[in-house]
């Protein structure tokens, strides 16, 4: 039952994050949909960690080069997702209010992705076959 509550909570926070992103694009005073390219970063961010968990053999090792590289690439993707709205606002493609809404949506979405990995990525007692 705890898995279902966590899944519902994560989906709710994901919906809130996407709402902030859409508000930053679709409000009448902003009306520019360039910040929607941040969705690409949302899709790309968990991929390196998922690949490194699949490839890495030694779970007990304190330092794993594959895992460290995946964290580095994921950090680059997350920083790029926060940098894109700032650059778009700096060159006056979008307004600063839209930039702040997109940045808020970024924070919520990336904390949701982190929460997913914390809740569902830790142990072997959880299996996707039970869904």
């Amino acid at each position: 039952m705890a898995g279902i509550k966590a899944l519902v909570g994560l989906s709710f926070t994901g919906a809130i994050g996407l709402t902030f992103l859409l508000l930053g694009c679709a409000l009448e005073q902003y009306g520019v949909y360039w910040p929607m390219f941040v969705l690409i970063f949302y899709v790309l961010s968990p991929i390196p960690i998922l690949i490194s968990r699949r490839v890495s053999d030694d779970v007990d090792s304190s330092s794993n080069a594959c895992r460290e590289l995946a964290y580095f690439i994921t950090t680059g993707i997350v920083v790029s997702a926060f940098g894109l709205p700032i650059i778009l606002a700096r060159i006056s493609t979008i307004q600063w209010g839209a930039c702040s809404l997109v940045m808020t949506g970024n924070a919520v979405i990336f904390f949701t992705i982190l929460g997913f990995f914390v809740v569902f990525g830790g142990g072997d007692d959880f299996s996707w076959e039970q869904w």
Side-chain angles (χ1 to χ4, degrees):
M1 190 66 176
I4 292 176
K5 288 181 183 178
L7 192 63
V8 169
L10 288 171
S11 64
F12 182 70
T13 57
I16 290 173
L18 287 176
T19 301
F20 278 119
L21 176 65
L22 289 175
L23 283 175
C25 296
L27 284 178
E28 186 175 338
Q29 64 263 29
Y30 304 136
V32 179
Y33 287 91
W34 285 107
M36 291 293 279
F37 281 108
V38 176
L39 289 172
I40 296 169
F41 297 116
Y42 296 163
V43 172
L44 291 178
S45 65
I47 291 175
I49 294 177
L50 291 174
I51 291 173
S52 73
R53 285 188 179 178
R54 190 70 149 154
V55 171
S56 66
D57 297 39
D58 49 350
V59 179
D60 297 332
S61 176
S62 63
S63 177
N64 187 355
C66 182
R67 188 176 306 143
E68 297 294 329
L69 179 65
Y71 290 155
F72 180 75
I73 293 171
T74 302
T75 303
I77 292 169
V78 171
V79 168
S80 298
F82 280 101
L84 179 67
I86 293 173
I87 291 177
L88 288 175
R90 180 85 172 126
I91 62 173
S92 300
T93 303
I94 64 173
Q95 296 178 14
W96 284 102
C99 177
S100 64
L101 284 170
V102 172
M103 298 281 276
T104 305
N106 279 348
V108 172
I109 289 291
F110 285 125
F111 278 123
T112 302
I113 293 171
L114 177 68
F116 176 80
F117 280 113
V118 167
V119 171
F120 294 112
D124 292 335
D125 58 342
F126 183 78
S127 175
W128 285 107
E129 286 85 28
Q130 61 182 319
W131 295 98

